Amino acid sequence: MSTETAKEVKREVKLEIKNLEKTYDNGVQALKGVSQKVYKGEFLAVIGLSGSGKSTFLRCINRLNDPTAGEIWFEGEDIAFTKGSKVSMTRSKIAMIFQKFNLVGRHTVLSNVLMGSLARTSFIASMFGVFSSEEKEKAHKYLALVGLSEKAEIRADQLSGGQQQRVAIARALMQEPDVLLADEPVASLDPALCHTVMDYLKKINRDLGITVLCNLHHLDLVQDYSDRVLALKDGLKVFEGESSEIDDKWFKEIYGEEARRVH
Amino acid sequence: MNFNFKKYIFNITLNAYSLSVIYFLALYFAGATPDEETTTSGSFILNTFAIFFALGTAAEVLLGVLKIKTLGEQLFARPGVPIIQSNAFWKTQLYFILLLTLVASFLMTKVSIIDLIDESGFLGAMRLFKGIFSPNFDILPKAILAIIETIFIAFLATFIAVPFAFFLSFVGAKNIMKGPVAFSIYMALRTFLNIVRSVEPLIWAIIFSVWVGIGPFAGMLALMLHSIASLTKQYSEIVECIFDGPVEGIKATGASRLQTIRYGVVPQIVLPYISFTIYRWDINVRMATIIGLVGGGGIGTMLIQYQGQALWREVGCIVVVIAVVVWLLDTGSAYIREAIK
């Protein structure tokens, strides 16, 4: 216990979520009061069964979903119930990547990456699709970082799933965010491609110091890539700790008695 | 809120309809159809409506008490609400109503085989056909000029309608207009456009030919108005069918609402929009012909002039010109639409 307190004192808290609740219009209670501290620069994995609320948890943080109750503290401000342009500002600092990549298929890879700079691009310029050469340079830089320099002029929908997810990462980096939310980033990828995408996530976490919150299905990926784990079950937090602490006992606790680990 | 409004409204209307048709058919076959003076009086119509709606409601209550599954229940069944008793009454009801309507339609249309095979009438039609099938191509240059006018009327109407429809289509799309204020604007626009669209371009042409005088300008205005309403509806439906993924992806970067539309929605809709626009031009050329009949200019106006003088060989020439142009446009636009899919 004392070691944990010591760690909290030492590390800067990037995000603090307090008693977060979300009830959807159809009455489904996805989150029933989840509290969590996210430290600067860490790689936090969020695990749980489908329907455990982990996707809702991430989507409430960047306000793609509006929480029902609770607080989300980010940069000295509670962002849980902000309105209008404040929400966009939060989103520009807390980037997100998705299970289905969510790229604009008809646009080129470069154009997709440039879209990450929309929040700081003037309205008129963005309506005409004009981006400054500075932004273009940046976009090329981030494309190089995810190893896709030579694909810049290709239409996004012609890339493989793994490559599309890397474009999505470059788009997120283009926002120059403090935090990256990754909602099941490898769930629709070939298992062989999982590690490439996860490696890039780890790389930007380590090299650029971006705090990563990542929803994951696969326990092996959790242990390979994350520093800490938050486990949700039926909208409640059931575990928080180091990734290495997840043993078979906890696994059964989180996933239910019948679950078996896949290796 | 467990009251199934749609079901009750549907059932009561259907019951009132079937009972009234049965009643009037019975009167007809008994030779006791009320005379025209009675049937066209306002009180007769009102009373009939009131009586049959009361009877329809009574029938609905009765069917409900007997727990018989009606057509309305089959159509508007709520998920989760168990159907008390399943039986085949609704099928019988469906066939019976179809049959009733068919019989009533025959009587209303005054279908008569005798008129169809009447000799003098048939000869008259043959004379007309003979004229049309031996077209007088002397007026071909004039007809070509007229159809060029028609094509340009249609083009201008489409061209002006596109930007209006483009902007309105977002306001008319449910997935863009979220929130109470936005939704009421959406509803208002939809209602307004439905009204505009339900008035035939022919009627608009008559209105505009009084407003700006008979001629191509009136025809263009009529087509333009109709095109704005129709294109907005078609465009909106495209917007409503887009994938949410890219929209969400752009939204998550912190882009504003308009930026999200520009980058998340527009790339997904451009090609279907072009396709619908070409199709609309194609439709407008055909409609411009009809509108010309009431003074909207172009080939239609020319057609009605020759028809009025019973110059069937000239009418034949015009019909050939129209057919060729419509066929060319139809094929051409189909090819282009296929290519940009």
Side-chain angles (χ1 to χ4, degrees), chain A residues 3-252:
Chain A
T3 49
E4 255 184 50
T5 349
K7 220 182 265 171
E8 274 184 36
V9 171
K10 203 170 66 193
R11 301 182 65 180
E12 187 188 328
V13 176
K14 191 80 218 175
L15 266 171
E16 183 164 9
I17 293 114
K18 288 181 185 167
N19 292 315
L20 193 65
E21 284 177 35
K22 170 69 185 175
T23 308
Y24 284 101
D25 290 339
N26 60 11
V28 174
Q29 239 187 315
L31 294 173
K32 299 170 183 165
V34 175
S35 299
Q36 178 69 32
K37 278 182 183 154
V38 183
Y39 298 106
K40 187 179 178 182
E42 78 171 329
F43 196 121
L44 178 74
V46 184
I47 61 171
L49 286 171
S50 309
S52 60
K54 56 188 197 304
S55 201
T56 308
F57 181 68
L58 289 200
R59 294 170 61 89
C60 278
I61 294 175
N62 74 342
R63 300 288 305 283
L64 280 183
N65 287 349
D66 287 323
T68 314
E71 297 165 25
I72 302 166
W73 288 89
F74 176 66
E75 297 186 337
E77 203 184 349
D78 181 5
I79 56 164
F81 294 98
T82 49
K83 292 219 180 316
S85 62
K86 279 238 165 171
V87 180
S88 308
M89 224 152 76
T90 304
R91 286 181 187 146
S92 73
K93 288 178 193 158
I94 304 178
M96 189 174 208
I97 61 171
F98 303 81
Q99 181 180 346
K100 303 270 190 213
F101 330 126
N102 290 356
L103 299 178
V104 179
R106 288 192 197 282
H107 277 232
T108 63
V109 166
L110 183 69
S111 165
N112 268 284
V113 178
L114 280 166
M115 288 174 201
S117 68
L118 281 174
R120 55 176 183 266
T121 306
S122 81
F123 172 73
I124 298 290
S126 66
M127 284 301 116
F128 289 99
V130 179
F131 293 93
S132 69
S133 51
E134 238 171 278
E135 299 287 13
K136 280 183 189 154
E137 226 166 87
K138 254 186 220 167
H140 279 294
K141 184 180 95 188
Y142 289 123
L143 265 181
L145 198 120
V146 294
L148 288 174
S149 285
E150 74 283 10
K151 304 276 187 200
E153 297 304 327
I154 292 175
R155 254 171 70 152
D157 55 7
Q158 312 215 312
L159 300 183
S160 71
Q163 289 172 330
Q164 289 196 37
Q165 193 60 292
R166 280 146 69 192
V167 176
I169 293 174
R171 178 174 72 185
L173 290 177
M174 193 67 187
Q175 293 174 231
E176 310 199 304
D178 292 327
V179 179
L180 176 68
L181 309 171
D183 190 8
E184 304 269 7
V186 292
S188 46
L189 296 181
D190 226 284
L193 293 169
C194 274
H195 287 283
T196 334
V197 169
M198 290 306 294
D199 283 337
Y200 280 112
L201 281 183
K202 189 71 199 170
K203 185 172 160 193
I204 63 166
N205 170 247
R206 205 179 43 224
D207 298 351
L208 304 178
I210 295 172
T211 311
V212 176
L213 270 83
C214 185
N215 281 351
L216 284 172
H217 246 51
H218 243 282
L219 223 50
D220 293 336
L221 292 177
V222 174
Q223 280 163 345
D224 285 354
Y225 292 97
S226 70
D227 306 322
R228 284 198 316 142
V229 179
L230 157 69
L232 298 177
K233 189 179 180 183
D234 297 328
L236 287 168
K237 179 163 149 181
V238 289
F239 177 84
E240 179 191 349
E242 305 281 326
S243 325
S244 51
E245 286 174 51
I246 295 255
D247 53 17
D248 285 346
K249 182 182 149 286
W250 269 112
F251 181 78
K252 289 235 189 286

Side-chain angles (χ1 to χ4, degrees), chain B residues 4-291:
Chain B
N4 196 341
F5 266 114
K6 284 179 189 161
K7 186 193 96 180
Y8 286 112
I9 291 170
F10 180 85
N11 269 343
I12 290 170
T13 314
L14 205 64
N15 292 341
Y17 167 74
S18 3
L19 289 172
S20 60
V21 174
I22 293 172
Y23 172 70
F24 284 108
L25 281 179
L27 284 184
Y28 176 83
F29 287 116
T33 311
D35 57 38
E36 201 169 318
E37 205 174 312
T38 326
T39 49
T40 47
S41 73
S43 64
F44 175 83
I45 293 170
L46 261 181
N47 288 340
T48 314
F49 261 96
I51 290 167
F52 280 105
F53 265 92
L55 286 174
T57 313
E60 169 63 15
V61 172
L62 185 69
L63 288 167
V65 170
L66 294 175
K67 293 189 174 163
I68 287 171
K69 189 182 166 198
T70 57
L71 193 55
E73 210 158 333
Q74 170 73 14
L75 277 174
F76 299 107
R78 290 251 178 91
V81 180
I83 292 159
I84 309 155
Q85 189 192 326
S86 184
N87 59 35
F89 177 74
W90 67 271
K91 281 185 189 162
T92 322
Q93 201 187 359
L94 180 64
Y95 294 136
F96 182 66
I97 287 167
L98 273 178
L99 185 70
L100 269 185
T101 309
L102 190 65
V103 172
S105 322
F106 264 98
L107 294 175
M108 294 296 262
T109 320
K110 301 189 172 76
V111 172
S112 152
I113 301 294
I114 297 157
D115 281 351
L116 201 61
I117 55 170
D118 174 70
E119 203 188 345
S120 70
F122 184 71
L123 286 178
M126 283 319 287
R127 234 185 3 260
L128 202 151
F129 271 120
K130 232 180 251 167
I132 288 176
F133 282 115
S134 53
N136 175 8
F137 284 111
D138 293 346
I139 61 154
L140 189 64
K142 215 171 136 194
I144 288 175
L145 279 181
I147 200 139
I148 287 173
E149 187 176 294
T150 298
I151 293 171
F152 277 101
I153 291 171
F155 179 80
L156 191 62
T158 317
F159 189 85
I160 299 176
V162 166
F164 286 102
F166 181 84
F167 285 107
L168 289 177
S169 67
F170 297 107
V171 187
K174 216 184 288 173
N175 53 345
I176 302 279
M177 302 301 276
K178 281 174 186 158
V181 181
F183 191 73
S184 37
I185 297 173
Y186 155 86
M187 282 305 283
L189 179 74
R190 276 257 153 148
T191 315
F192 175 71
L193 290 176
N194 279 342
I195 294 169
V196 173
R197 229 157 23 86
S198 61
V199 177
E200 281 294 313
L202 202 66
I203 310 292
W204 287 120
I206 293 169
I207 294 170
F208 281 116
S209 59
V210 171
W211 190 341
V212 300
I214 285 178
F217 186 44
M220 194 282 287
L221 287 174
L223 279 180
M224 182 198 75
L225 202 62
H226 188 77
S227 295
I228 291 175
S230 301
L231 276 178
T232 304
K233 188 178 161 61
Q234 286 174 323
Y235 286 178
S236 302
E237 272 159 16
I238 298 169
V239 176
E240 282 174 358
C241 287
I242 56 164
F243 296 109
D244 280 337
V247 179
E248 199 162 65
I250 303 296
K251 208 163 132 187
T253 66
S256 69
R257 207 176 162 121
L258 283 172
Q259 285 176 328
T260 307
I261 292 176
R262 163 71 178 79
Y263 288 92
V265 180
V266 172
Q268 293 192 58
I269 59 176
V270 167
L271 289 185
Y273 269 34
I274 293 174
S275 166
F276 269 111
T277 309
I278 294 173
Y279 189 47
R280 178 54 49 187
W281 180 39
D282 181 4
I283 292 172
N284 276 347
V285 171
R286 275 175 280 159
M287 273 193 178
T289 312
I290 306 297
I291 277 175

